[in-house]
Amino acid sequence: MSYTIELPLTEGQLTQYTLCEAQSLPASSVPFSSRVAFAAAHVVADPNVDHTDRSKPVQLDWDATLAYRRHLWSLGFAVAEAMDTAQRGMGLDWPASQALIRRSIAEARAVGGVVACGAGTDHLPPSPARTVAEVIAAYEEQIGYVEGLGGQVIMMASRALAACAKSPDDYARVYNHILAQVKQPVIIHWLGDMFDPQLAGYWGSRDLTAAMETCLAILQENASKIDGIKISLLDAQREIVMRRRLPANVKMYTGDDFNYPELILGDEQGYSHALLGIFDAIAPVAAAAFHALDAGDMQRYCALLEPTVALSRHIFQTPTYNYKTGIVFLAWLNNHQAQFKMVATQESARSVQHLANLFVLADKAGLLCDPALAVKRMQHYLNGMTA
């Protein structure tokens, strides 16, 4: 059965769009064998709470939030918890993150899922007046919380450190101090300023080549304490250059939501594992692609992921940090949550036209699991925007 809907794909004009025939993908909960793949998961806001009042505690729909993590685990993904995809630093504060981390680790144990959790310094307001000692103490608090629950740490980039560091030496001091203490190897998180403008100049320089040298020196010195590094710079060649220079035991986790298929596939000198926000949105197709890669079927791997790239580039278009809106919108279209609501009212961060085009791209990538419901919800959204 075909479904048709009128969409505002261009400004001031409606276009009639007929959906593609839904594709059937075999489901498998078998973990991927050729690559490690973390999906950074979004959170579901409590639809019964007024999220415009930022002075009130963040309220989540815990049933829907945890159900989505079970969905990701059921497809074979590991979950990267309390990251920027979960609106960390854009509505999800440290108290809410603690509750999310605690519940997610418990849920992972209950179902046999793999989870790693973001620990940073976001409870410490950034300021040039901060000291390196304060940044270290903030990291120690959050990492101690995650490790106290038995969780693996993703050491998130620090706005407070970016604001107060005077030189690359300050970054080395913080990371060397923290990594000397961790109980198990961590994943380092290098987030580009397109994802968070407050992280501009991370590692002590706005010159990415110089920044990479500082980062690599820290990785070399602490290699036994590092599982891998996730870089989100949207620069495939820079990632490849860094990947080839990593210590032998340190994984490269691509965070490149523009160029992930070829970076994961790799070349004659190696490949990237993955820790990606887009996996939240494209999980069923990406899972099938990873199983194809495990089976050595490169052609199917590429054929499955290629249509998702246009969707991902659309979701992550500038301003890139508003990508969470598209992630949550697609989750709502696919019935993973009852309403299109977000923490800190971020559902309004993208235009109607943007979300209409997202609908089309998701359909072309085979990511509308129930076309009839997706059309119904899209129409409901459009009616609300014109009411």
Side-chain angles (χ1 to χ4, degrees):
M1 181 177 180
S2 62
Y3 298 91
T4 300
I5 184 173
E6 285 192 332
L7 296 170
L9 302 180
T10 55
E11 189 173 349
Q13 181 178 339
L14 289 175
T15 301
Q16 192 171 73
Y17 177 74
T18 300
L19 278 69
C20 304
E21 185 175 344
Q23 66 174 324
S24 178
L25 296 169
S28 173
S29 61
V30 177
F32 314 130
S33 59
S34 60
R35 304 288 188 273
V36 180
F38 282 92
H42 75 281
V43 292
V44 182
D46 186 335
N48 301 310
V49 171
D50 178 9
H51 294 280
T52 60
D53 188 348
R54 306 292 178 86
S55 66
K56 292 183 178 179
V58 175
Q59 298 292 326
L60 300 182
D61 181 335
W62 288 111
D63 289 342
T65 294
L66 295 175
Y68 200 75
R69 281 131 185 83
R70 291 194 298 272
H71 167 67
L72 293 171
W73 286 319
S74 76
L75 293 170
F77 287 97
V79 168
E81 189 56 274
M83 303 293 290
D84 49 297
T85 304
Q87 294 182 248
R88 192 77 180 267
M90 286 189 68
L92 194 77
D93 56 15
W94 175 231
S97 298
Q98 287 177 288
L100 178 62
I101 289 166
R102 183 181 68 252
R103 289 172 185 251
S104 194
I105 289 175
E107 196 73 18
R109 289 192 180 125
V111 303
V114 175
V115 64
C117 303
T121 66
D122 50 317
H123 61 295
L124 182 70
S127 165
R130 294 290 177 196
T131 65
V132 168
E134 287 178 297
V135 173
I136 288 173
Y139 266 130
E140 286 175 334
E141 177 180 339
Q142 293 202 13
I143 289 172
Y145 182 80
V146 174
E147 290 193 330
L149 295 169
Q152 183 184 10
V153 167
I154 302 170
M155 188 174 173
M156 300 179 71
S158 167
R159 290 175 176 174
L161 179 56
C164 74
K166 303 297 190 296
S167 71
D169 290 343
D170 285 339
Y171 286 86
R173 178 183 166 191
V174 170
Y175 279 81
N176 292 341
H177 184 98
I178 294 298
L179 292 169
Q181 303 177 52
V182 295
K183 296 179 180 178
Q184 61 175 306
V186 308
I187 298 172
I188 303 295
H189 188 206
W190 182 2
L191 197 65
D193 58 6
M194 68 289 292
F195 288 90
D196 186 344
Q198 294 188 62
L199 296 176
Y202 211 73
W203 306 113
S205 177
R206 289 180 179 269
D207 180 331
L208 289 178
T209 299
M212 184 183 293
E213 293 300 326
T214 299
C215 181
L216 280 166
I218 292 169
L219 298 180
Q220 291 284 356
E221 185 167 345
N222 300 281
S224 65
K225 294 299 188 80
I226 298 169
D227 169 47
I229 178 166
K230 165 194 162 75
I231 65 171
S232 299
L233 301 176
L234 304 182
D235 185 331
Q237 189 54 43
R238 196 173 295 277
E239 177 176 321
I240 291 168
V241 168
M242 188 173 189
R243 185 172 76 195
R244 292 174 179 171
R245 296 180 61 192
L246 291 177
N249 65 297
V250 175
K251 301 181 188 73
M252 170 60 76
Y253 288 100
T254 186
D256 189 329
D257 300 279
F258 282 7
N259 305 292
Y260 51 93
E262 59 262 41
L263 290 166
I264 294 167
L265 184 61
D267 55 31
E268 68 283 351
Q269 296 186 50
Y271 54 78
S272 296
H273 298 277
L275 196 165
L276 285 163
I278 194 56
F279 283 165
D280 183 294
I282 69 169
V285 171
F290 275 112
H291 287 305
L293 187 61
D294 292 345
D297 190 344
M298 310 303 181
Q299 185 175 357
R300 177 161 171 76
Y301 165 85
C302 293
L304 283 164
L305 285 186
E306 183 180 3
T308 71
V309 174
L311 171 66
S312 188
R313 286 175 176 256
H314 180 75
I315 288 175
F316 284 82
Q317 69 181 230
T318 56
T320 304
Y321 47 79
N322 284 336
Y323 76 88
K324 298 94 169 172
T325 303
I327 297 283
V328 174
F329 187 70
L330 188 51
W332 173 63
L333 291 177
N334 281 325
N335 203 30
H336 290 294
Q337 56 193 79
Q339 294 189 39
F340 177 40
K341 296 289 185 182
M342 295 179 67
V343 173
T345 65
Q346 284 294 304
E347 66 270 15
S348 62
R350 293 295 201 189
S351 69
V352 175
Q353 185 178 324
H354 176 91
L355 296 177
N357 279 280
L358 183 154
F359 180 95
V360 171
L361 292 168
D363 176 57
K364 291 180 176 179
L367 287 161
L368 298 181
C369 61
D370 182 343
L373 177 64
V375 168
K376 181 180 179 181
R377 291 197 165 181
M378 188 73 213
Q379 192 62 64
H380 174 77
Y381 170 74
L382 294 173
N383 291 343
M385 292 298 100
T386 59

